[in-house]
Amino acid sequence: MKIVMRRDDFVAAATDVARATSSKLGDSSSSVRIIAENDSLILTANDLELAISAQIKAEVIVPGSIVVPGRLLSEAARRFPSEEVSMHVAEGRHVLKLCSGFSDMELVGMAASFFPEIPEIEGLTVITLPQAQLKSMLKQVSFAMSQDSIRLILTGMLWEYQDNRLRLVAADGTKVASRQESLVDQDETAFSMVMPGRAVHELLRLLDETDEPVEVAVGKNHCLVQIGNTTLVSKLLEGRYINVDQYVPTNFTTLVQLNPKILLTALDRCAIMTKDLLTGIVRLNFNNQILCVRAHSAELGSHYEEWPIEKNGEDLDIFFNNKVLSDIMRALDYGDVKMSFTGQFGPVVAQSIKNEKNYWSLVMPVRLS
Amino acid sequence: MRHIIHLDMDAFFAAVEQLDFPHMRGKPVIVGGAPNERGVVSTCSYEARKFGVRSAMSLTEAYQRCPSGIFVHGRGFRYREISRQVFAIMSEYSPLFEPVSIDEAFLDVTASLKLFGTAPQIAETIQRRVREELHLSCSLGVAPNKFLAKLASDLKKPGGIVVIAKEDAKALLAPLPIAKIWGVGEKTAQKFHRVGIITIGDLQKSDPHTLARRFGSHGPHLWRLAHGEDDRPVERYDSVKSIGHEHTFEQDIADQGAIKATLLALSAKVGRRLRQQGYKARVIHLKLRYLDFSTYSRQLTLSTGTDLDGDIFGAAEKLFDTHFDGRPVRLVGVSTHQLAPRGQCLEQLDLFTPLSDKKRQIASVMDKIKDRHGEKSITYGLVTEHEEV
């Protein structure tokens, strides 16, 4: 194999791909496969849960392939001095020689034949939407995915597609987020999948704030996302996702309208009084048209502040985990927010006033017991 | 005869505010919140009391009575810090020390008299040290029991020391209103008033048997208090750090079922003690000792504190399943750590887990049965199958 390409293209591709490698050194899941053919270089990482493949333009002098450790490749690529990088693999050897400027580096690799193939996806349904749109949807929802593998299905994100409408849902019991958008000129076949959290995070990273399209293809056990020349393939989480809608209350005792930025700055000040974010509790008190926000720590001190707000319904005294409430507020990026309460121990629904239908989130309070 | 000292800080929270913020000194200070808030006065300085402001009065009323008052929110951490310093001074004079609240405590100095002088002298020393070292004023009562000591500390506030001798108690108590008796709140006082008992003297003259019929077992107890008799000991305060139980098997066993049954029995004992002492634990700890005496300790942190047998066993079982290596076991232990008083545990509510009191109800029924019929009267089915603990 012999190939020449631009360093920056190579660095970008190697970095994107390296994310799909596992940290275990020495087996194929920590490796990246390099294929040189048809004027392009294809880098692929596949740890069997998640695969990422990136294709860049290159001058292929002799086609060929090799597998090398993924982290090493991206670390090396970043450090090359010259704008051009060339790669050689001598016939019959499994050593990748990287040359850039006056520097030569050799990486010990193995034959590409050992590398697991990216699975073929069966029964595809494909939807296309602008990258920026999907990115914003993912951002508003992904924070609610569970970190706790006890309810494995909740560590992923639900994608529901029906009647030209895509809806993303994440929930971990403490919080829920749901966002939907109408898409135009799409495949008519409905689908529902649960994308693993890791794939969601990688996807978020790969998407740009552009109107360039991203294609999502959904099969029986896998999904494939095509972003320009980069492909992400992920296994789907098995099992039924919780029907979150049945838990969303419809009767509320207190309705509040406020600017999430104001509440966020207050929560930020409260965070000073909370030793670690896990146990950091804030107390919200809605008293007439005043919101009191306070935090207290036996060791550190206390914080108190109040804001005028618009409130309808009963006065309320309620506790939250500061981090959870901050995440909810941060995800609402559309101006004023409507918060609907169901009492001291019940769920709270948050919606942007401008975008009430398409996005809502829910947060559970904390109680003293 | 015992020698008990009761210490009560004078207008504690307000005094701390005046100490930390000199501009408040000599002025009416009201701790509790801003005048337009819905709360109540938690403490006010003696200057504020002149205006008729009292603890537990609504802030609005306090403001009406004393518009010139300095209204502040409490600073709990600071009060606790000072409280610890006051209590540290007290503890130097006897290990029999019992805090009642943040600003009052009992000290039994019966065994300290030879070291530090008479009880009134010790009280004077403590008062002087609190004044000199912490710049705060306190009132103390010295008496042969807790009830009289507490009563005495209240008689010459602020800055007083009152000694009540046993023989003076009855006469001293007689003219006081019935509500001065420890444990007589507004409700009980009203009940007494209805039967014509207004002062402690009235209670002294009433018949303890009639009281027993009208007020239950509480009646005779109050009658004894009215006569200045109180035999409750000063209970040493040791903050509970952990609660646990262990069991050594008669023969080393490797049978998982039997070991788990033992873990359940131990968990139930631990849960019972947590509930009895009013704590919830966040950390559950499993100890395993194998036949060769090699010992392993593993722990699990729960998302919220618990005092329920099932939760403790659930964690212990999970730890066991993860770490048990199949060798015969000699000893198992279950203990709980990071204890917090019940009612102060933060619990993140979960949308998908409905609030259920079922487990708590089971625990409370089992506790009631054990209270009446003994600790062995009821247990779990799994435990009875492997009878050993």
Side-chain angles (χ1 to χ4, degrees), chain B residues 180-200:
Chain B
K180 283 276 176 190
I181 292 186
W182 205 0
V184 176
E186 219 176 291
K187 283 261 170 64
T188 319
Q190 280 170 8
K191 267 179 159 181
F192 276 117
H193 292 169
R194 255 178 262 139
V195 294
I197 297 176
I198 311 291
T199 65
I200 298 182

Side-chain angles (χ1 to χ4, degrees), chain A residues 16 19 50 52 197-206 232:
Chain A
D16 282 350
R19 301 281 298 219
L50 179 70
I52 299 178
R198 193 171 149 224
V200 171
H201 290 303
E202 288 312 314
L203 187 51
L204 252 174
R205 211 177 43 79
L206 293 172
L232 176 147

Side-chain angles (χ1 to χ4, degrees), chain B residues 2 4 106 144-149 166 182 221 224-233:
Chain B
R2 292 183 299 154
I4 311 291
F106 287 109
N145 61 48
K146 283 166 90 172
F147 167 52
L148 291 175
K166 191 160 177 47
W182 205 0
H221 172 68
R224 281 195 298 277
L225 288 180
H227 285 79
E229 288 167 25
D230 176 16
D231 52 15
R232 286 167 302 176

Side-chain angles (χ1 to χ4, degrees), chain A residues 70-127:
Chain A
R71 292 276 145 82
L72 240 52
L73 187 68
S74 61
E75 294 281 305
R78 214 170 299 146
R79 288 174 170 79
F80 284 139
S82 162
E83 304 232 318
E84 241 179 33
V85 178
S86 72
M87 284 185 192
H88 307 250
V89 178
E91 188 67 39
R93 287 191 67 206
H94 301 303
V95 174
L96 176 71
K97 189 169 180 186
L98 291 151
C99 306
S100 179
F102 297 110
S103 92
D104 284 7
M105 186 183 279
E106 286 193 341
L107 292 180
V108 178
M110 55 186 166
S113 51
F114 295 111
F115 199 78
E117 283 303 328
I118 293 182
E120 290 286 324
I121 298 181
E122 296 163 47
L124 284 183
T125 307
V126 183
I127 53 168

Side-chain angles (χ1 to χ4, degrees), chain B residues 290-302:
Chain B
Y290 292 104
L291 71 168
D292 62 356
F293 277 86
S294 59
T295 307
Y296 299 85
S297 290
R298 293 291 179 272
Q299 64 180 43
L300 199 102
T301 304
L302 306 174

